[in-house]
Amino acid sequence: YMVPFHAATIKGVQKSGDDVLRVQFITPRSTVPGDAASLLFADKRAAFVKELAFRIGDAERLARTARAVRELRKQHVSAQAQERDRASIVEQAALRVARTGRVPRLQDVSMRPTMSGRKTVGALEAHENGFRFRSTKGGRIDVLYANVKHAFYQPSQNELITLLHLHLRDHIMVGKRKVRDVQFYTEVMEASQALDGRGAAYGGGDGFEEEEQQRRMAERIDKEFRTFVRRCEERIQFDVPYRDLGFTGTPLRSAVLLQPSVHCLVSLSETPAFVLSLDDVELVHMERVHFNLKNFDLVFVFKDYRRPVQTISAVPSESLEQIKDWLDSCDIMYTVGTTNLNWKQIMKTIVDDIDGFFDEGGWSFLNMDDDSSSSAAGAAPSLYELAASAGSFTALLGALDATDLARLARGTRDAEGLTLFAPNDDAFAALGDAALAELSRGELRALLLGHVVAGRRR
């Protein structure tokens, strides 16, 4: 009898010797991603086949059959992944196409990720409520302004491309992939020319002429992109990364130039692009900071404690003070340590008992190295001690004690700690006892944190 087996039930296939093909199936005790075994065998009493062996005398046919079964399983897994991606996509509203006036348009731009194949080229248009990209091959991608969390314009200064980058709030489908970053760019010069140095040879008039031509082309492309960005300003705001504040590091697979912008830290020229929103960051910890090490690691802890931390490794030590100044300018608290920490376990502990974590001092444990060194030389008074000695901050001290911030304020802080713009008793009196009584513990904590910034301020 012919007995069909669905591709979803196949765990693997392998050749045994020169003439036997073994097909392994998922069983109730199989360890497979996504707990597929429990889905396939809801009835634990069901009978199941663990493995089938087929004897095939023709070695070529055996190999061909093994490849066909693996390809069938691969196609099924891919189709399932695409179906899950499409089901999780947040449906966008319809694009309202501009019918009057000149529509802002960028011609002959490439798109990343591609719709299909190695390269997707087309035109980008800005309509009433979103962008539309039309491929020269007939494809179309719409991105609504409301779905754009961050938009960037990066000129060709010291780069091979000029680009616009859109970091989205919700994923969209591009081809068969679910993506959250979409980029439109134009190559200023061919990468092969930039690598082998052709067109920049010394002593040859043709080389200088070609270099001048490339410079003029870069200026023209930058101007076209700037004009497009300027015409879109009423609909959407574009950030420009600050290259002079950039530093190298490895956030994903390889070392890249990371550039701060007004709201983000980004690396856009290399793929995959990296975008980190500073509004989501609560704390930055610098690990492996030591005078005899050439680099250190940056760990970004997010306000959503359930979100895994983002580590940027192999940051050159000479960038340390520059990064501190940048974080100070963004009012982001940072700490410095000499060792690597187990952040997965730390964040799990915090999530399990957030109130207990802050009752025990919160992030003050990250400053233990600094506190121990400062105490050896005579520790400076804490924020809490300074407020208590002044005599005019009684209400503030009571508010600190009523929240989880008192223990944090009692910790010794140096220039890398915190500055408290302390409201005195008159300020609390102006607010009124009735208004204070209506505040919840969380609201009172948020009110106090609004007076705290990172670093030393005067």
Side-chain angles (χ1 to χ4, degrees):
Y1 297 96
M2 297 291 291
V3 180
F5 293 94
H6 196 277
T9 64
I10 298 176
K11 183 178 181 180
V13 58
Q14 63 181 17
K15 293 183 291 185
S16 179
D18 295 331
D19 59 351
V20 175
L21 181 69
R22 297 186 180 277
V23 181
Q24 294 90 26
F25 296 93
I26 297 173
T27 67
R29 294 185 178 181
S30 296
T31 303
V32 292
D35 198 23
S38 62
L39 298 176
L40 290 172
F41 296 96
D43 183 0
K44 301 298 183 183
R45 298 171 299 175
F48 59 89
V49 176
K50 184 176 182 180
E51 181 181 283
L52 289 177
F54 299 90
R55 188 175 298 278
I56 303 175
D58 187 341
E60 182 178 344
R61 182 185 171 195
L62 186 147
R64 188 168 62 248
T65 304
R67 286 195 301 269
V69 174
R70 292 191 186 103
E71 183 62 26
L72 177 65
R73 183 175 180 275
K74 180 179 177 181
Q75 291 176 1
H76 172 74
V77 171
S78 178
Q80 280 189 318
Q82 291 178 31
E83 186 176 340
R84 286 194 300 269
D85 287 345
R86 292 187 184 279
S88 65
I89 293 294
V90 176
E91 185 176 354
Q92 295 189 96
L95 183 77
R96 296 196 301 271
V97 178
R99 302 295 182 185
T100 59
R102 294 182 58 190
V103 176
R105 180 181 286 106
L106 278 176
Q107 297 283 6
D108 300 324
V109 294
S110 300
M111 177 180 172
R112 295 195 292 212
T114 62
M115 294 183 185
S116 62
R118 298 184 60 183
K119 195 169 186 179
T120 299
V121 180
L124 179 66
E125 301 170 344
H127 291 278
E128 292 182 7
N129 66 331
F131 297 106
R132 170 164 287 177
F133 177 79
R134 299 176 185 270
S135 167
T136 54
K137 296 182 179 179
R140 189 176 75 185
I141 293 293
D142 293 340
V143 180
L144 299 189
Y145 301 136
N147 192 30
V148 178
K149 186 174 183 179
H150 299 290
F152 304 94
Y153 158 59
Q154 182 174 290
S156 61
Q157 179 186 4
N158 299 315
E159 299 284 355
L160 296 176
I161 60 176
T162 301
L163 63 85
L164 299 180
H165 188 94
L166 306 178
H167 181 66
L168 308 181
R169 300 180 187 278
D170 298 312
H171 292 80
I172 64 172
M173 294 298 295
V174 175
K176 297 179 180 180
R177 286 176 288 180
K178 183 174 74 170
V179 302
R180 202 178 167 192
D181 288 274
V182 184
Q183 189 174 110
F184 308 97
Y185 68 96
T186 297
E187 293 179 328
V188 175
M189 68 172 70
E190 292 295 329
S192 60
Q193 287 184 321
L195 291 174
D196 65 20
R198 287 180 297 176
Y202 292 100
D206 293 341
F208 287 114
E209 177 63 29
E210 186 174 346
E211 188 175 307
E212 179 65 18
Q213 182 179 353
Q214 290 172 347
R215 185 187 65 80
R216 289 195 299 267
M217 180 176 67
E219 291 178 351
R220 177 182 61 80
I221 293 173
D222 286 347
K223 183 179 179 181
E224 291 175 355
F225 274 71
R226 281 197 305 271
T227 300
F228 181 86
V229 168
R230 187 168 58 251
R231 295 184 65 190
C232 295
E233 283 180 347
E234 294 184 359
R235 305 179 179 95
I236 189 170
Q237 296 296 315
F238 284 84
D239 267 355
V240 179
Y242 301 126
R243 188 179 181 88
D244 55 338
L245 297 180
F247 57 91
T248 58
T250 308
L252 299 171
R253 297 195 295 246
S254 58
V256 295
L257 175 65
L258 295 154
Q259 303 178 69
S261 71
V262 175
H263 301 291
C264 297
L265 179 66
V266 301
S267 172
L268 305 176
S269 299
E270 305 293 333
T271 54
F274 174 78
V275 178
L276 188 149
S277 177
L278 299 180
D279 290 338
D280 298 336
V281 176
E282 174 165 318
L283 167 81
V284 177
H285 184 62
M286 304 175 191
E287 296 184 328
R288 299 192 305 108
V289 176
H290 200 274
F291 71 92
N292 63 353
L293 295 179
K294 294 183 179 180
N295 51 54
F296 65 97
D297 300 334
L298 281 174
V299 179
F300 289 81
V301 181
F302 299 102
K303 295 174 182 177
D304 180 0
Y305 295 153
R306 293 166 298 182
R307 180 177 172 184
V309 301
Q310 172 65 56
T311 300
I312 299 176
S313 59
V315 179
S317 296
E318 54 264 28
S319 300
L320 179 63
E321 295 305 321
Q322 174 186 321
I323 293 173
K324 288 181 179 180
D325 291 341
W326 164 59
L327 293 173
D328 270 341
S329 70
C330 299
D331 285 337
I332 295 177
M333 184 173 71
Y334 62 82
T335 55
V336 180
T338 58
T339 60
N340 288 108
L341 301 177
N342 184 349
W343 285 100
K344 185 175 181 180
Q345 184 59 45
I346 290 173
M347 299 313 296
K348 181 180 183 303
T349 301
I350 295 173
V351 170
D352 289 345
D353 185 9
I354 293 179
D355 289 339
F357 171 72
F358 283 104
D359 287 342
E360 293 296 322
W363 299 113
S364 59
F365 76 94
L366 295 174
N367 277 323
M368 290 179 64
D369 289 344
D370 294 336
D371 290 346
S372 61
S373 62
S374 62
S375 62
S382 69
L383 297 175
Y384 195 96
E385 291 167 342
L386 288 172
S389 64
S392 58
F393 298 98
T394 305
L396 172 63
L397 296 176
L400 290 172
D401 290 332
T403 65
D404 52 21
L405 300 176
R407 188 171 301 216
L408 183 65
R410 287 190 177 97
T412 300
R413 301 290 176 183
D414 57 10
E416 296 175 356
L418 302 174
T419 294
L420 172 64
F421 291 96
N424 58 20
D425 291 340
D426 292 339
F428 276 94
L431 184 60
D433 293 338
L436 281 173
E438 292 178 357
L439 295 177
S440 67
R441 185 171 182 242
E443 290 171 334
L444 180 59
R445 182 176 185 270
L447 177 64
L448 295 174
L449 287 177
H451 293 77
V452 179
V453 297
R456 186 181 295 276
R457 309 289 185 185
R458 296 188 184 278

PDB file of all heavy atoms in Angstrom, residues 224-242:
ATOM      1  N   GLU A 224      20.073  65.975  -4.814  1.00  0.00           N
ATOM      2  CA  GLU A 224      18.773  65.376  -5.116  1.00  0.00           C
ATOM      3  C   GLU A 224      18.122  64.799  -3.859  1.00  0.00           C
ATOM      4  O   GLU A 224      16.916  64.977  -3.631  1.00  0.00           O
ATOM      5  CB  GLU A 224      18.940  64.276  -6.176  1.00  0.00           C
ATOM      6  CG  GLU A 224      19.319  64.806  -7.558  1.00  0.00           C
ATOM      7  CD  GLU A 224      19.579  63.675  -8.534  1.00  0.00           C
ATOM      8  OE1 GLU A 224      19.547  62.496  -8.097  1.00  0.00           O
ATOM      9  OE2 GLU A 224      19.822  63.962  -9.726  1.00  0.00           O
ATOM     10  N   PHE A 225      18.925  64.125  -3.031  1.00  0.00           N
ATOM     11  CA  PHE A 225      18.387  63.556  -1.801  1.00  0.00           C
ATOM     12  C   PHE A 225      17.983  64.656  -0.824  1.00  0.00           C
ATOM     13  O   PHE A 225      16.942  64.557  -0.163  1.00  0.00           O
ATOM     14  CB  PHE A 225      19.421  62.620  -1.162  1.00  0.00           C
ATOM     15  CG  PHE A 225      19.391  61.204  -1.690  1.00  0.00           C
ATOM     16  CD1 PHE A 225      19.824  60.916  -2.973  1.00  0.00           C
ATOM     17  CD2 PHE A 225      18.926  60.165  -0.899  1.00  0.00           C
ATOM     18  CE1 PHE A 225      19.799  59.627  -3.465  1.00  0.00           C
ATOM     19  CE2 PHE A 225      18.890  58.868  -1.376  1.00  0.00           C
ATOM     20  CZ  PHE A 225      19.329  58.598  -2.673  1.00  0.00           C
ATOM     21  N   ARG A 226      18.811  65.718  -0.703  1.00  0.00           N
ATOM     22  CA  ARG A 226      18.472  66.816   0.206  1.00  0.00           C
ATOM     23  C   ARG A 226      17.175  67.501  -0.223  1.00  0.00           C
ATOM     24  O   ARG A 226      16.336  67.856   0.614  1.00  0.00           O
ATOM     25  CB  ARG A 226      19.600  67.844   0.249  1.00  0.00           C
ATOM     26  CG  ARG A 226      20.784  67.456   1.109  1.00  0.00           C
ATOM     27  CD  ARG A 226      21.642  68.667   1.424  1.00  0.00           C
ATOM     28  NE  ARG A 226      22.072  69.362   0.231  1.00  0.00           N
ATOM     29  CZ  ARG A 226      23.180  69.108  -0.449  1.00  0.00           C
ATOM     30  NH1 ARG A 226      23.975  68.117  -0.034  1.00  0.00           N
ATOM     31  NH2 ARG A 226      23.513  69.801  -1.523  1.00  0.00           N
ATOM     32  N   THR A 227      17.011  67.678  -1.524  1.00  0.00           N
ATOM     33  CA  THR A 227      15.783  68.295  -2.036  1.00  0.00           C
ATOM     34  C   THR A 227      14.576  67.438  -1.703  1.00  0.00           C
ATOM     35  O   THR A 227      13.521  67.948  -1.289  1.00  0.00           O
ATOM     36  CB  THR A 227      15.891  68.493  -3.557  1.00  0.00           C
ATOM     37  OG1 THR A 227      17.016  69.340  -3.845  1.00  0.00           O
ATOM     38  CG2 THR A 227      14.631  69.139  -4.111  1.00  0.00           C
ATOM     39  N   PHE A 228      14.701  66.131  -1.862  1.00  0.00           N
ATOM     40  CA  PHE A 228      13.608  65.213  -1.534  1.00  0.00           C
ATOM     41  C   PHE A 228      13.269  65.303  -0.048  1.00  0.00           C
ATOM     42  O   PHE A 228      12.089  65.393   0.332  1.00  0.00           O
ATOM     43  CB  PHE A 228      14.010  63.787  -1.912  1.00  0.00           C
ATOM     44  CG  PHE A 228      12.950  62.752  -1.640  1.00  0.00           C
ATOM     45  CD1 PHE A 228      11.955  62.489  -2.570  1.00  0.00           C
ATOM     46  CD2 PHE A 228      12.946  62.043  -0.448  1.00  0.00           C
ATOM     47  CE1 PHE A 228      10.983  61.538  -2.320  1.00  0.00           C
ATOM     48  CE2 PHE A 228      11.987  61.086  -0.193  1.00  0.00           C
ATOM     49  CZ  PHE A 228      11.000  60.832  -1.131  1.00  0.00           C
ATOM     50  N   VAL A 229      14.309  65.295   0.805  1.00  0.00           N
ATOM     51  CA  VAL A 229      14.097  65.370   2.256  1.00  0.00           C
ATOM     52  C   VAL A 229      13.421  66.685   2.631  1.00  0.00           C
ATOM     53  O   VAL A 229      12.487  66.719   3.448  1.00  0.00           O
ATOM     54  CB  VAL A 229      15.439  65.201   3.002  1.00  0.00           C
ATOM     55  CG1 VAL A 229      15.297  65.572   4.468  1.00  0.00           C
ATOM     56  CG2 VAL A 229      15.960  63.779   2.864  1.00  0.00           C
ATOM     57  N   ARG A 230      13.882  67.794   2.024  1.00  0.00           N
ATOM     58  CA  ARG A 230      13.313  69.099   2.344  1.00  0.00           C
ATOM     59  C   ARG A 230      11.834  69.177   1.946  1.00  0.00           C
ATOM     60  O   ARG A 230      11.014  69.743   2.670  1.00  0.00           O
ATOM     61  CB  ARG A 230      14.114  70.195   1.644  1.00  0.00           C
ATOM     62  CG  ARG A 230      13.717  71.606   2.053  1.00  0.00           C
ATOM     63  CD  ARG A 230      14.709  72.640   1.561  1.00  0.00           C
ATOM     64  NE  ARG A 230      14.865  72.601   0.118  1.00  0.00           N
ATOM     65  CZ  ARG A 230      15.947  72.165  -0.522  1.00  0.00           C
ATOM     66  NH1 ARG A 230      16.975  71.699   0.176  1.00  0.00           N
ATOM     67  NH2 ARG A 230      16.015  72.172  -1.834  1.00  0.00           N
ATOM     68  N   ARG A 231      11.476  68.570   0.833  1.00  0.00           N
ATOM     69  CA  ARG A 231      10.088  68.593   0.377  1.00  0.00           C
ATOM     70  C   ARG A 231       9.179  67.689   1.217  1.00  0.00           C
ATOM     71  O   ARG A 231       7.959  67.816   1.168  1.00  0.00           O
ATOM     72  CB  ARG A 231      10.015  68.193  -1.098  1.00  0.00           C
ATOM     73  CG  ARG A 231      10.690  69.181  -2.043  1.00  0.00           C
ATOM     74  CD  ARG A 231      10.502  68.781  -3.476  1.00  0.00           C
ATOM     75  NE  ARG A 231       9.088  68.837  -3.862  1.00  0.00           N
ATOM     76  CZ  ARG A 231       8.614  68.363  -5.011  1.00  0.00           C
ATOM     77  NH1 ARG A 231       9.449  67.780  -5.881  1.00  0.00           N
ATOM     78  NH2 ARG A 231       7.323  68.442  -5.288  1.00  0.00           N
ATOM     79  N   CYS A 232       9.807  66.783   1.974  1.00  0.00           N
ATOM     80  CA  CYS A 232       9.015  65.884   2.845  1.00  0.00           C
ATOM     81  C   CYS A 232       8.911  66.398   4.280  1.00  0.00           C
ATOM     82  O   CYS A 232       8.268  65.753   5.115  1.00  0.00           O
ATOM     83  CB  CYS A 232       9.648  64.490   2.871  1.00  0.00           C
ATOM     84  SG  CYS A 232       9.637  63.619   1.292  1.00  0.00           S
ATOM     85  N   GLU A 233       9.548  67.544   4.583  1.00  0.00           N
ATOM     86  CA  GLU A 233       9.666  67.988   5.977  1.00  0.00           C
ATOM     87  C   GLU A 233       8.323  68.207   6.651  1.00  0.00           C
ATOM     88  O   GLU A 233       8.196  68.027   7.860  1.00  0.00           O
ATOM     89  CB  GLU A 233      10.502  69.273   6.048  1.00  0.00           C
ATOM     90  CG  GLU A 233      11.998  69.018   5.907  1.00  0.00           C
ATOM     91  CD  GLU A 233      12.802  70.303   5.981  1.00  0.00           C
ATOM     92  OE1 GLU A 233      12.191  71.383   5.899  1.00  0.00           O
ATOM     93  OE2 GLU A 233      14.030  70.217   6.115  1.00  0.00           O
ATOM     94  N   GLU A 234       7.308  68.631   5.911  1.00  0.00           N
ATOM     95  CA  GLU A 234       6.002  68.868   6.521  1.00  0.00           C
ATOM     96  C   GLU A 234       5.325  67.564   6.919  1.00  0.00           C
ATOM     97  O   GLU A 234       4.427  67.560   7.762  1.00  0.00           O
ATOM     98  CB  GLU A 234       5.100  69.638   5.556  1.00  0.00           C
ATOM     99  CG  GLU A 234       5.576  71.061   5.274  1.00  0.00           C
ATOM    100  CD  GLU A 234       4.606  71.810   4.382  1.00  0.00           C
ATOM    101  OE1 GLU A 234       3.591  71.195   3.974  1.00  0.00           O
ATOM    102  OE2 GLU A 234       4.869  72.983   4.082  1.00  0.00           O
ATOM    103  N   ARG A 235       5.765  66.450   6.330  1.00  0.00           N
ATOM    104  CA  ARG A 235       5.128  65.153   6.592  1.00  0.00           C
ATOM    105  C   ARG A 235       5.940  64.296   7.560  1.00  0.00           C
ATOM    106  O   ARG A 235       5.376  63.555   8.360  1.00  0.00           O
ATOM    107  CB  ARG A 235       4.937  64.393   5.279  1.00  0.00           C
ATOM    108  CG  ARG A 235       4.161  65.164   4.199  1.00  0.00           C
ATOM    109  CD  ARG A 235       4.053  64.315   2.946  1.00  0.00           C
ATOM    110  NE  ARG A 235       3.318  64.968   1.875  1.00  0.00           N
ATOM    111  CZ  ARG A 235       3.883  65.650   0.898  1.00  0.00           C
ATOM    112  NH1 ARG A 235       5.208  65.757   0.844  1.00  0.00           N
ATOM    113  NH2 ARG A 235       3.139  66.213  -0.044  1.00  0.00           N
ATOM    114  N   ILE A 236       7.257  64.386   7.466  1.00  0.00           N
ATOM    115  CA  ILE A 236       8.122  63.506   8.263  1.00  0.00           C
ATOM    116  C   ILE A 236       9.483  64.173   8.441  1.00  0.00           C
ATOM    117  O   ILE A 236       9.954  64.882   7.550  1.00  0.00           O
ATOM    118  CB  ILE A 236       8.276  62.121   7.572  1.00  0.00           C
ATOM    119  CG1 ILE A 236       8.991  61.139   8.491  1.00  0.00           C
ATOM    120  CG2 ILE A 236       8.973  62.244   6.235  1.00  0.00           C
ATOM    121  CD1 ILE A 236       8.952  59.700   7.966  1.00  0.00           C
ATOM    122  N   GLN A 237      10.096  63.977   9.615  1.00  0.00           N
ATOM    123  CA  GLN A 237      11.390  64.575   9.928  1.00  0.00           C
ATOM    124  C   GLN A 237      12.497  63.538   9.771  1.00  0.00           C
ATOM    125  O   GLN A 237      12.368  62.406  10.232  1.00  0.00           O
ATOM    126  CB  GLN A 237      11.393  65.120  11.358  1.00  0.00           C
ATOM    127  CG  GLN A 237      10.410  66.261  11.580  1.00  0.00           C
ATOM    128  CD  GLN A 237      10.739  67.488  10.763  1.00  0.00           C
ATOM    129  OE1 GLN A 237      11.894  67.908  10.691  1.00  0.00           O
ATOM    130  NE2 GLN A 237       9.728  68.074  10.128  1.00  0.00           N
ATOM    131  N   PHE A 238      13.596  63.937   9.127  1.00  0.00           N
ATOM    132  CA  PHE A 238      14.750  63.066   8.923  1.00  0.00           C
ATOM    133  C   PHE A 238      15.894  63.484   9.851  1.00  0.00           C
ATOM    134  O   PHE A 238      16.200  64.672   9.968  1.00  0.00           O
ATOM    135  CB  PHE A 238      15.233  63.124   7.468  1.00  0.00           C
ATOM    136  CG  PHE A 238      14.374  62.360   6.503  1.00  0.00           C
ATOM    137  CD1 PHE A 238      13.235  62.935   5.964  1.00  0.00           C
ATOM    138  CD2 PHE A 238      14.710  61.068   6.134  1.00  0.00           C
ATOM    139  CE1 PHE A 238      12.438  62.239   5.066  1.00  0.00           C
ATOM    140  CE2 PHE A 238      13.920  60.359   5.234  1.00  0.00           C
ATOM    141  CZ  PHE A 238      12.785  60.948   4.706  1.00  0.00           C
ATOM    142  N   ASP A 239      16.506  62.504  10.506  1.00  0.00           N
ATOM    143  CA  ASP A 239      17.736  62.724  11.282  1.00  0.00           C
ATOM    144  C   ASP A 239      18.943  62.585  10.371  1.00  0.00           C
ATOM    145  O   ASP A 239      18.923  61.777   9.421  1.00  0.00           O
ATOM    146  CB  ASP A 239      17.847  61.686  12.399  1.00  0.00           C
ATOM    147  CG  ASP A 239      17.250  62.181  13.702  1.00  0.00           C
ATOM    148  OD1 ASP A 239      16.845  63.348  13.755  1.00  0.00           O
ATOM    149  OD2 ASP A 239      17.193  61.389  14.659  1.00  0.00           O
ATOM    150  N   VAL A 240      20.006  63.324  10.678  1.00  0.00           N
ATOM    151  CA  VAL A 240      21.279  63.177   9.976  1.00  0.00           C
ATOM    152  C   VAL A 240      22.313  62.704  10.989  1.00  0.00           C
ATOM    153  O   VAL A 240      22.568  63.394  11.980  1.00  0.00           O
ATOM    154  CB  VAL A 240      21.734  64.499   9.331  1.00  0.00           C
ATOM    155  CG1 VAL A 240      23.080  64.308   8.623  1.00  0.00           C
ATOM    156  CG2 VAL A 240      20.685  65.006   8.351  1.00  0.00           C
ATOM    157  N   PRO A 241      22.917  61.521  10.832  1.00  0.00           N
ATOM    158  CA  PRO A 241      23.925  61.035  11.789  1.00  0.00           C
ATOM    159  C   PRO A 241      25.116  61.979  11.875  1.00  0.00           C
ATOM    160  O   PRO A 241      25.529  62.575  10.879  1.00  0.00           O
ATOM    161  CB  PRO A 241      24.333  59.669  11.211  1.00  0.00           C
ATOM    162  CG  PRO A 241      23.184  59.259  10.352  1.00  0.00           C
ATOM    163  CD  PRO A 241      22.641  60.529   9.769  1.00  0.00           C
ATOM    164  N   TYR A 242      25.680  62.115  13.089  1.00  0.00           N
ATOM    165  CA  TYR A 242      26.848  62.962  13.325  1.00  0.00           C
ATOM    166  C   TYR A 242      28.110  62.116  13.156  1.00  0.00           C
ATOM    167  O   TYR A 242      28.525  61.409  14.076  1.00  0.00           O
ATOM    168  CB  TYR A 242      26.797  63.566  14.721  1.00  0.00           C
ATOM    169  CG  TYR A 242      25.580  64.405  14.984  1.00  0.00           C
ATOM    170  CD1 TYR A 242      24.759  64.142  16.084  1.00  0.00           C
ATOM    171  CD2 TYR A 242      25.244  65.458  14.147  1.00  0.00           C
ATOM    172  CE1 TYR A 242      23.636  64.917  16.335  1.00  0.00           C
ATOM    173  CE2 TYR A 242      24.118  66.237  14.389  1.00  0.00           C
ATOM    174  CZ  TYR A 242      23.322  65.965  15.477  1.00  0.00           C
ATOM    175  OH  TYR A 242      22.206  66.731  15.724  1.00  0.00           O
TER     176      TYR A 242
END
